[in-house]
Amino acid sequence: SLSTLSEDKPFPRRVWNESERLPSCIIPRPSTAKKSDPLKTLKKYENTWSHHAVPGEKRHTALRNAIRRQMAECDVQPFVAPQRDVYVNRYEVPTDKKRERLRWAVRNQMMG
């Protein structure tokens, strides 16, 4: 049985010489695939984006500056919305209305 085997003699351990090559499943190797660092990746992309413009896009700084200068020279008054007429809300909630006309009409129909 196993218990008698382990009590009597331990399993022999093999001692590896330096000249012998260890099996690949035993050799601890540092992993070549490192975890990705999102901040480093972002910095790399930002660096690339700052040096290379997107294809088809042009810098519009000259156009923007020209429009700014043109708008600064213009004497247009800012748009002012016209004042609205004040509307008085005369709505009454139906429970608050006086019902004298209705009562009078009902009375006249019942009497007449």
Side-chain angles (χ1 to χ4, degrees):
S1 79
L2 280 176
S3 61
T4 58
L5 229 172
S6 61
E7 289 174 4
D8 295 341
K9 293 189 228 177
F11 287 107
R13 290 190 176 188
R14 179 165 179 181
V15 178
W16 297 92
N17 294 330
E18 288 184 22
S19 61
E20 290 181 325
R21 193 168 176 138
L22 291 174
S24 62
C25 62
I26 297 176
I27 300 172
R29 286 186 233 167
S31 63
T32 55
K34 296 180 181 177
K35 291 183 179 179
S36 64
D37 184 10
L39 291 177
K40 282 185 181 178
T41 308
L42 176 67
K43 289 291 183 184
K44 184 178 92 175
Y45 282 136
E46 284 178 345
N47 191 15
T48 306
W49 294 333
S50 66
H51 291 299
H52 306 287
V54 178
E57 295 241 343
K58 296 179 182 176
R59 295 194 183 267
H60 300 288
T61 53
L63 176 65
R64 287 186 186 129
N65 289 336
I67 291 172
R68 282 190 194 113
R69 268 188 258 109
Q70 200 174 24
M71 289 181 73
E73 294 169 2
C74 192
D75 292 334
V76 176
Q77 297 296 324
F79 177 75
V80 178
Q83 293 268 332
R84 293 184 180 183
D85 294 334
V86 178
Y87 174 73
V88 178
N89 187 2
R90 297 175 194 257
Y91 177 78
E92 289 184 46
V93 180
T95 56
D96 295 342
K97 289 182 182 176
K98 295 182 180 178
R99 300 183 181 250
E100 292 175 9
R101 287 185 188 171
L102 179 63
R103 287 187 193 124
W104 184 253
V106 171
R107 276 189 204 148
N108 284 336
Q109 285 183 355
M110 290 176 72
M111 300 297 250

